[in-house]
Amino acid sequence: MMAKDNGTASAGKKKPINEMTLIFPALSRNESFARVVAASFISQLDPSIEELADVRTAVSEAVTNAIIHGYEDKAGNIKMICLLYDDSVEITVIDEGKGIENIELARQPLYTSKPDMERSGMGFTVMETFMDEVKVESEVGKGTKVTMLKYFKSLKDKERRAKNDK
Amino acid sequence: MMAKDNGTASAGKKKPINEMTLIFPALSRNESFARVVAASFISQLDPSIEELADVRTAVSEAVTNAIIHGYEDKAGNIKMICLLYDDSVEITVIDEGKGIENIELARQPLYTSKPDMERSGMGFTVMETFMDEVKVESEVGKGTKVTMLKYFKSLKDKERRAKNDK
Amino acid sequence: MQVKFSNKGNILIVRLIGELDHHASDYVRRKIDGEMIKPTTKNIIFDLSNLSFMDSSGIGIIMGRYRAISRINGQIAVACSNAQILKLLEMSGISKVIQIFSDADKAVKSMLGVTKK
Amino acid sequence: MQVKFSNKGNILIVRLIGELDHHASDYVRRKIDGEMIKPTTKNIIFDLSNLSFMDSSGIGIIMGRYRAISRINGQIAVACSNAQILKLLEMSGISKVIQIFSDADKAVKSMLGVTKK
Ligand SMILES: Nc1ncnc2c1ncn2[C@@H]1O[C@H](COP(=O)(O)OP(=O)(O)O)[C@@H](O)[C@H]1O
Ligand SMILES: Nc1ncnc2c1ncn2[C@@H]1O[C@H](COP(=O)(O)OP(=O)(O)O)[C@@H](O)[C@H]1O
């Protein structure tokens, strides 16, 4: 389905230790639901509060974009896929909405096609700041797929501390 | 896929106000994840604490059954579908595991095919007690589909109280 | 899931903390059975006061220990005040064969009274 | 999501409680704009101390009010101590044009000091 390719999100060829797929309609009240599901899924790794908040925020941005830009408040389904690795999570948010014409422009800080809705144009920038890698694939008239990777550095720190304690 | 039919769960022809589908591998640590997802999804209706606990318990039983009886701890995917109505929720848990030969026997209180695992044989009875309707469909070698309906009576009570207050 | 033990005479008090489902049940069973084989254990009190969730896997665990303890003529009691878990104990029939108390202290007192007779 | 208002002179203090995302933003915007058109409002303090979550929709709301208030030569300040939300205010550039305080009292004191000059 997808054409253009920006960024390089990928957790490599490792097998995930757990995964989930969530499908839900593009309703704004599902933004908080998607956040809860993603946060609850990654908590099995016991990441730091900050890492949890980072993922919640990035998921919120990607799902909100699918609702207001992808489907423009029309009906449609959003798919969120989480692949959990022992040190990271890859979260993909997919819509089959209108798609993005110019991905590079869309990713610019402050760029928004909906200033009338008081969008800040910071959605992609937030995802990039709060996650470690963000890949955007999109085709006009087909839809958009945003893939985000987050490393849980806190787990490494914990491991290191546990080792030093011995 | 399904053949036999027990019980009569169905929320009628009404259109759900929201819905979700969750797909996850048959790992026991996803039992609590499935509970969180179902509880978080239905909380948008603001049910009572007891109703929330009822649904969490029933979901736990259905998902556990899919893992230990359906897939017998082998790999496989479980699908949970929640259809939310303004006064109720219909939750379906589907596995593509070994299936149930005799549904009537399986639903008997205390019947279990795994007494060695210290299963109590009370799973289906719990679902029936805690939910308002439970339908079980299954085909040997194909899988099992458990559909559970829960009415949120507390919402009606709230409405009534709100009216009386006026 | 956490399992904590304490002893009052020959009573083993098993305090369960967290959510007791099938996933947790293997660990819980292993921990309890490790304590049960000690010769000091004759009776068991399950303190469920700190469980925030339990499903029929918990019923299986309690019934399993009930059978083992009955064989050595011991007693089992449960302390629980969570409405949802009480409902589960009720419908499973456990409350017909095992005494249920609102807290662990009451269970200990009653059991010491009975076993001392 | 809850929005609570209080006034200190010509300062409108907007206390946001809950999670501020796109879903909540329509309601929040309507509530705030209803208070902003009152002639008593010249300056605004956004008190985010009771927000447990905010994403870029919150940035949009604050920037929108900032533009409106700037037009009448008013001031805007934000009170916030949540690390995640501070990170968001920082990266969005809001902290370059709007002063951020650790709590609402400090924001009020500073703003009264400035506006009284
Ligand atoms: N899922 C999507 N479908 C279609 N267009 C999108 C999607 N996500 C983002 N866009 C486009 O990219 C632009 C920038 O997005 P973003 O940085 O999140 O800012 P904002 O949401 O505030 O507009 C949007 O204004 C929109 O035009
Ligand atoms: N998803 C399933 N797939 C195959 N068999 C099942 C499934 N769910 C239930 N069963 C069968 O029904 C029996 C009774 O189930 P239940 O009442 O939940 O008790 P328990 O799980 O304690 O055995 C099980 O022992 C099993 O044989």
Side-chain angles (χ1 to χ4, degrees):
Chain A
M1 140 192 176
M2 306 295 171
K4 285 203 180 178
D5 212 324
N6 270 32
T8 54
S10 111
K13 293 277 152 342
K14 273 194 299 176
K15 225 180 104 59
I17 57 169
N18 202 353
E19 55 187 285
M20 56 132 284
T21 301
L22 181 73
I23 301 161
F24 55 96
L27 299 171
S28 67
R29 82 191 106 113
N30 287 332
E31 290 157 11
S32 60
F33 174 60
R35 291 198 297 271
V36 170
V37 172
S40 153
F41 189 69
I42 63 172
S43 356
Q44 59 188 290
L45 276 192
D46 200 21
S48 71
I49 291 177
E50 196 192 332
E51 286 164 344
L52 261 174
D54 288 349
V55 170
R56 269 159 49 86
T57 311
V59 163
S60 199
E61 301 291 351
V63 168
T64 299
N65 277 355
I67 294 172
I68 60 178
H69 301 305
Y71 292 114
E72 296 193 301
D73 288 316
K74 287 190 281 286
N77 275 331
I78 296 169
K79 193 190 265 191
M80 178 170 80
I81 302 169
C82 299
L83 303 180
L84 197 68
Y85 299 91
D86 53 13
D87 63 348
S88 58
V89 67
E90 185 185 287
I91 302 182
T92 307
V93 175
I94 302 168
D95 68 64
E96 296 178 333
K98 66 183 286 212
I100 304 176
E101 214 160 299
N102 185 337
I103 295 180
E104 218 179 309
L105 177 65
R107 293 181 75 146
Q108 301 269 308
L110 301 177
Y111 172 80
T112 178
S113 55
K114 298 225 187 302
D116 47 307
M117 277 183 73
E118 284 193 347
R119 298 306 299 166
S120 63
M122 295 302 292
F124 278 129
T125 313
V126 169
M127 293 179 234
E128 281 159 15
T129 310
F130 286 22
M131 303 293 271
D132 291 303
E133 292 178 26
V134 176
K135 182 167 79 171
V136 183
E137 296 162 272
S138 189
E139 200 179 316
V140 174
K142 289 279 176 65
T144 301
K145 177 173 166 182
V146 176
T147 308
M148 305 179 285
L149 185 68
K150 177 82 177 175
Y151 287 105
F152 299 121
K153 295 175 189 87
S154 68
L155 302 181
K156 282 248 164 73
D157 295 347
K158 251 185 240 161
E159 244 173 59
R160 209 176 310 123
R161 250 177 285 132
K163 258 187 208 154
N164 287 346
D165 282 355
K166 272 174 201 165
Chain B
M1 139 193 177
M2 307 294 170
K4 284 202 182 180
D5 211 323
N6 269 32
T8 53
S10 110
K13 294 274 151 347
K14 273 192 300 177
K15 224 180 105 60
I17 56 169
N18 201 353
E19 55 187 285
M20 57 133 283
T21 301
L22 181 74
I23 302 160
F24 54 96
L27 299 171
S28 68
R29 82 190 106 112
N30 288 332
E31 290 157 10
S32 60
F33 174 60
R35 293 198 296 271
V36 170
V37 172
S40 154
F41 189 69
I42 63 173
S43 0
Q44 58 189 291
L45 276 192
D46 201 21
S48 71
I49 290 177
E50 196 192 331
E51 287 164 342
L52 261 174
D54 288 350
V55 170
R56 269 157 51 86
T57 312
V59 163
S60 199
E61 300 292 351
V63 168
T64 300
N65 278 354
I67 294 172
I68 61 179
H69 301 303
Y71 292 114
E72 296 192 302
D73 287 316
K74 286 190 281 289
N77 275 332
I78 297 170
K79 193 190 267 191
M80 178 170 78
I81 302 170
C82 299
L83 302 180
L84 197 67
Y85 299 91
D86 52 12
D87 62 348
S88 58
V89 67
E90 185 184 288
I91 301 182
T92 306
V93 175
I94 302 168
D95 68 64
E96 297 179 331
K98 66 183 286 213
I100 305 176
E101 214 161 301
N102 186 337
I103 295 181
E104 217 179 310
L105 177 66
R107 292 181 75 147
Q108 303 268 309
L110 301 177
Y111 172 81
T112 179
S113 56
K114 297 224 186 303
D116 47 308
M117 275 182 75
E118 285 193 347
R119 298 304 301 167
S120 63
M122 295 302 291
F124 279 129
T125 312
V126 169
M127 292 181 236
E128 281 159 14
T129 309
F130 287 21
M131 303 293 271
D132 291 303
E133 292 179 26
V134 176
K135 183 166 80 170
V136 182
E137 298 162 272
S138 189
E139 199 177 318
V140 173
K142 288 277 175 68
T144 300
K145 177 173 165 181
V146 176
T147 308
M148 306 180 283
L149 185 66
K150 176 83 177 173
Y151 286 105
F152 299 121
K153 297 178 188 86
S154 68
L155 302 181
K156 282 249 165 72
D157 296 347
K158 251 185 238 161
E159 246 173 58
R160 210 177 308 123
R161 250 177 284 132
K163 259 188 208 154
N164 288 346
D165 282 355
K166 273 175 202 167
Chain C
M1 189 72 220
Q2 277 184 284
V3 188
K4 297 208 167 152
F5 299 103
S6 56
N7 292 283
K8 270 261 158 42
N10 58 12
I11 304 173
L12 172 69
I13 302 165
V14 181
R15 197 147 63 93
L16 300 172
I17 301 157
E19 308 206 336
L20 178 49
D21 60 6
H22 157 250
H23 177 66
S25 65
D26 267 353
Y27 170 75
V28 170
R29 187 177 298 117
R30 251 182 297 124
K31 290 282 273 184
I32 297 176
D33 289 353
E35 286 295 311
M36 271 178 66
I37 52 165
K38 292 185 183 166
T40 44
T41 304
K42 186 159 183 230
N43 308 290
I44 297 185
I45 291 170
F46 281 97
D47 182 359
L48 312 183
S49 318
N50 297 290
L51 272 191
S52 53
F53 177 84
M54 185 175 110
D55 65 14
S56 75
S57 309
I59 303 291
I61 288 201
I62 297 173
M63 286 310 292
R65 282 354 88 194
Y66 170 72
R67 276 183 222 114
I69 286 289
S70 295
R71 254 176 265 132
I72 57 167
N73 293 315
Q75 300 263 336
I76 287 226
V78 170
C80 176
S81 55
N82 176 312
Q84 189 70 12
I85 300 178
L86 283 171
K87 209 160 126 184
L88 200 71
L89 297 172
E90 206 64 52
M91 58 141 284
S92 68
I94 275 198
S95 54
K96 279 183 208 139
V97 292
I98 297 175
Q99 255 199 297
I100 296 170
F101 298 88
S102 55
D103 62 58
D105 277 355
K106 289 202 182 102
V108 171
K109 252 181 218 150
S110 159
M111 202 174 262
L112 285 176
V114 172
T115 53
K116 264 179 193 155
K117 261 182 228 165
Chain D
M1 188 71 219
Q2 276 184 282
V3 188
K4 298 209 166 152
F5 299 104
S6 57
N7 293 283
K8 271 260 156 45
N10 58 12
I11 305 174
L12 173 69
I13 302 166
V14 181
R15 196 147 64 93
L16 299 172
I17 302 157
E19 307 206 337
L20 178 49
D21 60 7
H22 157 250
H23 178 67
S25 65
D26 267 353
Y27 170 74
V28 169
R29 188 178 297 118
R30 250 182 296 123
K31 291 282 273 184
I32 297 176
D33 289 355
E35 286 295 312
M36 269 177 68
I37 52 164
K38 293 185 183 167
T40 44
T41 303
K42 186 158 183 231
N43 308 290
I44 297 185
I45 292 170
F46 282 96
D47 182 0
L48 312 183
S49 319
N50 298 289
L51 272 192
S52 53
F53 177 83
M54 185 176 110
D55 65 13
S56 75
S57 309
I59 302 291
I61 288 201
I62 297 174
M63 287 309 291
R65 282 352 90 196
Y66 170 72
R67 276 183 222 114
I69 286 289
S70 296
R71 256 177 262 133
I72 57 166
N73 293 314
Q75 300 262 336
I76 287 225
V78 170
C80 175
S81 55
N82 176 311
Q84 189 70 12
I85 301 179
L86 283 173
K87 209 160 125 184
L88 201 71
L89 297 172
E90 206 64 54
M91 59 141 286
S92 67
I94 274 198
S95 55
K96 279 183 209 140
V97 292
I98 297 175
Q99 256 200 295
I100 296 169
F101 298 88
S102 56
D103 62 57
D105 278 354
K106 288 202 182 103
V108 171
K109 253 183 217 149
S110 158
M111 203 176 261
L112 285 177
V114 172
T115 53
K116 264 179 191 156
K117 264 181 225 162

